[in-house]
Amino acid sequence: MDLKIAFELTKKIKKVKSVISIISPGAASSKTLKDVDLIVIYSNKSKTSVEEVENLVDGKFRICQITLDELENNPEFKAAMSGEGVLLHGKAFTVSAEGLNLKSRVILSYDTTQMDQNHRNKLNRALYGGISTYKKNGQRIVKEYPGIVSKINAEKLGKGVLMVDRFNSSLIIQTLKTFKAKWKEIPVWTY
């Protein structure tokens, strides 16, 4: 999306009755907004104002036209609009967390590059578990054992990045301390 053209179009759209905000949602939006270039928010949406905005846009951008009430009743939509979006017109509005049942979580990013291979392997087995094979009475036995990540339902977001409930984060932090790994904590709220 060309922001220069979007700014010029915003000058026209903001004159339409009941338009209170115009937002470009940004590239990291959820599936809800993946095909939307501009979001037009109304205090009171009417058929004539919707048609007027559609005529102004004239197919240049993909738009979503909503009211504050529609925004309030859709937590996925609110989450998709937050973050890297650009406010083109209007005042920023606060989205409350009431009724969203947000959970306090921690993103843990850890670095094992300074560790020797033996300690790195032990840390990975402690976090993610492993497989042990041995022979007993001439039969090959495979035994799997879980790691801390599966026991506490942590989520692996990427290499060396975990998201875990705040009250369970101490288990992983203590393990990282034990193996002398470097880590960073980022507190987040999720639903």
Side-chain angles (χ1 to χ4, degrees), residues 40-177:
V40 179
I41 301 175
Y42 295 92
S43 58
N44 186 16
K45 184 168 68 172
S46 68
K47 185 178 178 181
T48 56
S49 58
V50 168
E51 288 173 355
E52 190 175 346
V53 168
E54 287 175 356
N55 288 336
L56 289 170
V57 172
D58 194 30
K60 295 174 190 155
F61 294 104
R62 296 166 295 193
I63 60 170
C64 177
Q65 301 183 59
I66 61 170
T67 65
L68 283 175
D69 291 336
E70 291 170 327
L71 177 64
E72 186 62 36
N73 295 327
N74 192 330
E76 185 184 32
F77 197 78
K78 289 189 280 190
M81 286 177 51
S82 63
E84 68 171 33
V86 177
L87 181 65
L88 300 172
H89 165 71
K91 293 181 180 178
F93 48 90
T94 304
V95 177
S96 75
E98 292 177 23
L100 293 182
N101 297 324
L102 296 178
K103 299 174 189 167
S104 177
R105 304 190 85 187
V106 176
I107 295 177
L108 294 167
S109 172
Y110 62 93
D111 181 16
T112 60
T113 55
Q114 301 299 318
M115 298 171 67
D116 64 63
Q117 187 65 41
N118 187 31
H119 281 89
R120 188 178 304 144
N121 289 341
K122 288 179 181 179
L123 173 61
N124 281 332
R125 281 193 297 273
L127 291 175
Y128 301 107
I131 298 174
S132 175
T133 59
Y134 59 94
K135 285 193 174 188
K136 184 176 181 180
N137 298 332
Q139 289 188 347
R140 183 174 176 249
I141 298 173
V142 177
K143 182 179 179 183
E144 291 185 42
Y145 56 94
I148 298 169
V149 169
S150 63
K151 287 180 183 177
I152 63 172
N153 296 322
E155 294 177 52
K156 184 176 181 178
L157 301 179
K159 185 177 180 182
V161 182
L162 298 169
M163 184 163 57
V164 60
D165 289 333
R166 182 173 300 282
F167 60 87
N168 285 332
S169 65
S170 61
L171 295 170
I172 293 180
I173 292 170
Q174 187 57 47
T175 305
L176 294 172
K177 278 183 187 176

